[in-house]
Amino acid sequence: MSVLVNLIAFVVALGLLVAIHEFGHFWVARRVGVRVLRYSIGFGRVVWRRTGGDGTEYALSAIPLGGYVKMLDEREGDVAPEERHRAFNRQPLWARNAILFAGPGFNFLFALFAYWAISVIGTTELRPVLGEVVPESPAAEAGLAEGQEIVAVAGEETLSWDDVLMRLLAEGAGNEALSLAVETPDGIRRDLTLDVAAIGPLGEKPNILGALGLRPWRPTIEPVVGELLPGGPAATAGLTAGDRIIAVAGEPVDEWQTLVEVVRARPGEAVDVTVRRDGERREFAVTLGRVEGEDGDTGRLGVRPRVEDSAYAGMRRTVQHGPLAAIAQATGATWEASALTVKLLVQMVTGDASVKNLSGPINIAQYAGQSATLGVVPFLRFLAIVSISLGILNLLPVPVLDGGHLLYNGIEWLRGRPLSEAAQATGQQIGLVLLGLLMAVAFYNDLARLFGPS
């Protein structure tokens, strides 16, 4: 994945979501009569600015990692007597709360729109049919077997592997067992119980399905090179698209999965790769690449298979809804993603989930680039998740965030008067420290994922 693609996708994604968040504050402030002095996206050096006819300055800065809406406020400077009714601090509590909540609220609305668009556009999903089930794994103990299709998790219908993963995360975290409904190839439905506690916290598993012993069905793919990764070991050695790989390091290869297993077991090794090209047998000396992972290093050849569409016949389904039906689907998806995010945050605070789940800008940029290259629907899904995370993060009761200001307003409502400026300033300092620690942990996690096993 190109670093440039990651960077561009990250800037576009974060810039868009920050702009939406700040526009929520801006739009509601204007509606309740507060004067907005500045609407700014980004920090650092201003690269563009314009003053509108309404007197608001609109600005774009060089670092798209945030933004702000500056409103008229007597606590930040002198305000002319004729303008005091338009100052933020002069507004009733309900109006100030509405302005503060509008930023996160617009993030949730955007996620709702993104999920609605995905539902209307439609997606082609791989049915959650099981391939080989690992012996003596939680899946095998539950009675799951190859060829069964998972049709429900915890009572909720699952149409794809994405649905299965989401339900496992949402319902499995904190629970010892999960109910599954499967359908056998001959149409018989069975209800099973999966022991998820046996593998520890699901949120810490990079491969939840593998940890449970589940392997999605896959077709038998011929070991024919469909595409070579530029600069990869195979391309460097001289392999070309269309080569049929028949042996690696002397081990026969009869299908693509065998090739994967043989290569993965030899990280960094120099091996002979035997291929059949135009009816002739040829050998190439290849130094395999090395990929670091939690379970140790694995080898990489740098090739992708040639897969015929007919290989997936009957295993794909199109999931699509009309504009009205998509509203219910989008609402459910937004609620489920929001609830899962809150649940994981709570579990990180209580120690039931690891802080390794936190992601920083590096990891987010990688996901942004990957989703953008996969197409509109994956990028929209990525934007929806990040938008929800941004909304929930800003609602945390931490001073300097929207949730912290809402907390101050709640205290003011209970006391009948606001906190002193000194108390609020102390709270802001504490909030900055907490936010700094949060970002430090997220950045550390990014580096740990990037440079080695975590």
Side-chain angles (χ1 to χ4, degrees), residues 214-276:
L214 299 170
R215 292 180 180 171
W217 171 91
R218 58 175 178 266
T220 299
I221 300 174
E222 298 295 318
V224 177
V225 177
E227 181 183 355
L228 292 97
L229 302 183
T236 302
L239 275 73
T240 63
D243 285 345
R244 182 185 186 91
I245 300 175
I246 57 178
V248 174
E251 294 196 30
V253 172
D254 56 358
E255 63 168 308
W256 192 266
Q257 185 57 32
T258 304
L259 171 65
V260 171
E261 292 169 358
V262 172
V263 169
R264 284 176 61 87
R266 293 170 169 78
E269 290 187 18
V271 298
D272 290 330
V273 176
T274 307
V275 307
R276 192 172 300 283

Side-chain angles (χ1 to χ4, degrees), residues 2-13 64 365-366 368-369:
S2 166
V3 173
L4 181 60
V5 171
N6 289 350
L7 181 61
I8 292 173
F10 175 71
V11 170
V12 170
Q366 289 176 331

